[in-house]
Each structure stands twice: as C-alpha cells, then as structure tokens.
C-alpha cells in the first residue's frame, strides 16, 4: 500500500526522479504510458475501448468515476485490471443495505498485549489505491456519505484520529441501471463529486465471441505492470499544468451554463425537460478532464475538441431531468446533444 507517510526508500527515489523530469519529458512518458496501459488492459478485457479511455482520463485527473452498466459487462475486471497494470493495491467493497460506515472506513479495535490493552486502528477496505464501490446505490445514505467524504477529503477520521488514505487514491463506483427496487439513489450533491459518469455498454457480436472463447479456455492472461505509483502521482501533478486554450475554457463554461433552464443560452429541450442544470463544478470537470485527455495523447494543450468529447460523461450526472422528460422518453444524452448544438 502506497501510504504517503510510510513510503519506502525506493518509492521516495522514484518520486524524486519523476519530479526532476521536465513537463515535456513527463508528457511524452504519459502518452507512452497510456498506450502501454491500453495494451495491458486489453490482455484481460475484450473491447470497451471508450470505457478504458474514460477511466484513464479519470485516473490522470485524480478524479473518481461512476461506472453504469448491467451486470456481466466486466466492470470489476476493468478496475482490477487497471490496478494490476499500474501495480497499485485494489480493494472491492460490495455495498449492501446492512453495510455500516465503519465497514468501509475501518474502526478502532481493542488490542491486548503483555497484559496491557490499547485501541488500534484497523483499516477498512477503502485503504487501497483503487477502490471498486460495487453497487453503491444499494447501501443507506449514511454509508454512502462516509464513502463520499473519504473521496473528497482523501482521509478518514475515526474517533479523534485522522488517517490519510493512500496516494494515489481513486474510487470507481458502479451502479446497475436496471433494478432499482430497494436502492438508495445517490443525491445530486454526491453525484457531483464524481468527475465522470461512464456508461458500459454491451460488446459487439465479434467481441462477445472473443469473450466467450477467452474466458472458457483455462487460466486468465497475466497483466503486466507497466507503470508504478510514483509515475501515476507524477502524471496527476502534471495534468493541472497542461495549458488549455481560451476557446476551450469558454466552451466548457458555455456548455455548463447552457444546461441551466433559467439562462438565455438554454436550448428549448433544456427549458422543457431540465429541472436543475450543472453547477460550476461541471465546467471545472470539463476543463480538467480535457487536459487529461490531451496529455494521454501527448498533446501539449487541451482544445475545444477535448471539451466536446467529454460533454456527456462530464455533465450527464450533473443535470436533473423533470418528470416530463421521463414521460416523453427524453434521456440525458438527448438534452446534452441539444446543449452542444446551442453552444456552438
């Protein structure tokens, strides 16, 4: 576990070496590392190229992502494969209605040694670099809030003691869009904490044939670690320094503001079907994700194409549709397509 307070000498040396690189050299390494990551993940996961790309963007931007898809689409395999390719620790939490906050954050336990007793902190499964929060909408709001607080603060407080989470620390939460019985939908304020909402779709027929063949033919393929924790931290420090054009920032702000039904730029679809639009965190997400997308391609600056490419995953979970939208069969992607047209 890459706890920043207890790094070994090798990790410290690796961090120092990464910090000594120029931004140009680090950008080149980032693009090369992204190619190797895609290849490593492809050894275990068939297809899902767009999903992998969005996950790498989330990783580079030091954000968290919500993976939405029906069961059996390799969401767990995607996250665990990414952790192996990065040589990072991986933790999985299956969220259930009886899960308590201490079950994920950890708790103080009584420890007895040589006749004396003391409280010792027992870390929960959240103390990993990459955490899969499986079916996060199946646990009560109190436990959801504990997870979301850890995501935001990157630390956990138990009693009077604060414990830092590993660095890097990122959460990939999953949600099943089919079955909603007995679930606790995440409030909009908590959804806003996720950088991207990534939808995992069915594979093509050719991909499904390869899945059926590969997963029934003996041992799963080994995934080679192609990056280390120090390199992931260095990439995370680089992304905010990536330049972004004024046009891209203007577009990000226009897109976020165009989702709000009370503004002049709002399209008719927004006025008809949106109750609440994206807040300023939406435009922030568009800009930082655009920077990450550009860096993963080795581009020296983020531009309007990067912002447009991330419109749907960055904003779809930040708009609240009205009951009329549900009645008329209007989806978030339909509204955001109208937003994109109105912001040109």
């Amino acid at each position: 576990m890459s706890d920043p307070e207890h790094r070994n000498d090798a990790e410290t040396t690796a961090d120092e070496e990464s910090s000594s690189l120029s931004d140009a050299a680090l950008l080149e390494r980032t693009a090369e590392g992204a190619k190797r990551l895609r290849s490593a993940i492809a050894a275990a996961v068939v297809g899902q190229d767009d999903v992998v790309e969005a996950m790498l963007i989330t990783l580079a931007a030091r954000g968290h992502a919500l993976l939405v898809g029906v069961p059996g689409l390799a969401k767990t395999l995607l996250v665990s494969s990414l952790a192996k390719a990065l040589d990072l620790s991986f933790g999985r939490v299956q969220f259930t209605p009886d899960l308590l906050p201490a079950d994920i954050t950890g708790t103080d336990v009584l420890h007895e040694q040589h006749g004396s007793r003391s409280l010792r902190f027992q870390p929960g499964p959240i103390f990993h670099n990459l955490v899969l929060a499986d079916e996060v909408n199946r646990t009560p709001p109190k436990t959801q809030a504990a997870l979301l607080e850890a995501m935001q603060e990157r630390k956990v407080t138990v009693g009077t003691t604060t414990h830092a989470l590993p660095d890097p620390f990122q959460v990939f939460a999953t949600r099943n869009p089919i079955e909603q019985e007995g679930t606790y939908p995440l409030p909009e304020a908590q959804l806003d904490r996720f950088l991207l909402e990534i939808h995992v779709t069915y594979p093509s027929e050719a991909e499904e044939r390869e899945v059926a063949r590969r997963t029934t033919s003996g041992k799963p393929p080994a995934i080679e670690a192609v990056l280390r924790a120090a390199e992931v931290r260095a990439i995370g420090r680089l992304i905010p320094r990536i330049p972004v054009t004024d046009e891209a920032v203007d577009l990000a702000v226009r897109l976020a503001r165009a989702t709000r039904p009370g503004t002049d730029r709002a399209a008719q679809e927004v006025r008809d079907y949106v109750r609440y639009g994206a807040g300023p965190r939406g435009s922030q997400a568009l800009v930082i994700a655009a920077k990450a997308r550009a860096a993963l391609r080795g581009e020296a600056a983020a531009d309007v194409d990067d912002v447009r490419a991330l419109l749907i995953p960055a904003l779809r979970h930040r708009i609240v549709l009205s009951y009329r939208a549900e009645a008329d069969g209007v989806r978030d992607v339909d509204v955001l397509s109208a937003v994109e047209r109105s912001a040109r």
Side-chain angles (χ1 to χ4, degrees):
M1 188 180 301
S2 301
D3 190 325
E5 296 179 358
H6 301 88
R7 295 178 191 164
N8 58 35
D9 292 340
E11 287 179 312
T12 302
T13 301
D15 278 333
E16 291 174 351
E17 290 176 353
S18 298
S19 299
S20 66
L21 292 174
S22 66
D23 283 357
L26 189 53
L27 180 62
E28 185 177 348
R29 282 199 180 187
T30 299
E32 179 60 30
K35 291 179 183 178
R36 293 159 59 198
L37 280 172
R38 295 185 191 100
S39 297
I41 295 172
V45 180
V46 178
Q48 302 293 0
D49 294 340
D50 291 340
V51 175
V52 172
E53 182 71 12
M55 291 175 65
L56 294 183
I57 290 171
T58 303
L59 179 81
R62 292 177 61 86
H64 310 283
L66 183 64
L67 299 173
V68 179
V70 300
L73 294 183
K75 296 185 291 294
T76 300
L77 182 60
L78 279 163
V79 182
S80 63
S81 298
L82 178 60
K84 290 177 182 176
L86 294 167
D87 196 27
L88 299 177
S89 64
F90 170 67
R92 180 178 180 271
V93 184
Q94 180 64 54
F95 281 75
T96 57
D98 60 348
L99 200 69
L100 299 175
D103 293 330
I104 61 170
T105 61
T107 187
D108 289 328
V109 296
L110 188 63
H111 179 73
E112 186 170 355
Q113 187 175 20
H114 304 305
S116 62
R117 296 179 178 182
S118 61
L119 289 176
R120 179 177 296 179
F121 179 66
Q122 180 65 42
I126 202 174
F127 280 81
H128 289 278
N129 297 122
L130 294 189
V131 176
L132 176 66
D134 210 358
E135 295 192 279
V136 67
N137 57 327
R138 290 204 172 277
T139 204
K142 189 174 184 179
T143 306
Q144 291 176 351
L147 172 68
L148 271 293
E149 182 180 359
M151 288 166 51
Q152 180 69 16
E153 304 297 332
R154 299 183 185 271
K155 58 186 178 182
V156 168
T157 300
V158 176
T160 59
T161 306
T162 297
H163 307 272
L165 290 164
D167 184 16
F169 166 74
Q170 294 176 263
V171 172
F172 290 88
T174 72
R175 177 168 63 84
N176 179 357
I178 299 177
E179 193 176 1
Q180 301 301 319
E181 187 71 24
T183 62
Y184 304 85
L186 287 171
E188 285 72 23
Q190 294 187 358
L191 283 172
D192 203 31
R193 301 294 179 181
F194 290 98
L195 179 70
L196 301 179
E197 181 178 303
I198 306 168
H199 281 224
V200 187
T201 58
Y202 289 110
S204 67
E205 184 176 348
E207 290 170 343
E208 193 162 350
R209 278 198 299 269
E210 178 61 23
V211 169
R213 181 181 297 109
R214 185 184 296 185
T215 56
T216 57
S217 302
K219 293 183 179 180
I223 299 177
E224 179 187 359
V226 297
L227 289 180
R228 305 295 177 183
E231 294 170 292
V232 176
R233 287 191 287 268
I235 292 171
R237 292 191 296 267
L238 169 69
I239 298 305
R241 301 199 298 267
I242 295 291
V244 58
T245 65
D246 292 341
E247 292 80 6
V249 174
D250 291 343
L251 176 61
V253 173
R254 289 204 311 273
L255 289 171
R257 293 182 65 82
T259 65
R260 303 167 194 167
T263 61
D264 296 336
R265 289 184 177 272
Q268 189 61 47
E269 290 86 346
V270 173
R271 294 191 178 97
D272 291 343
Y273 298 117
V274 176
R275 292 173 59 201
Y276 301 101
R281 196 175 281 124
S283 54
Q284 290 175 324
L286 278 170
V287 172
I288 194 66
K291 289 184 174 190
R293 183 177 186 268
L296 293 174
R297 285 167 166 71
E299 298 170 358
D303 60 20
V304 293
D305 290 336
D306 296 307
V307 172
R308 291 188 189 280
L310 291 158
L311 167 64
I312 291 176
L315 296 187
R316 72 185 310 164
H317 56 298
R318 292 184 164 91
I319 62 174
V320 181
L321 299 182
S322 65
Y323 296 112
R324 180 180 174 185
E326 183 177 356
D328 291 353
V330 175
R331 304 167 302 164
D332 49 17
V333 292
D334 301 322
V335 172
L336 289 175
S337 295
V339 167
E340 197 273 338
R341 291 194 299 271
S342 69
R344 288 177 180 172

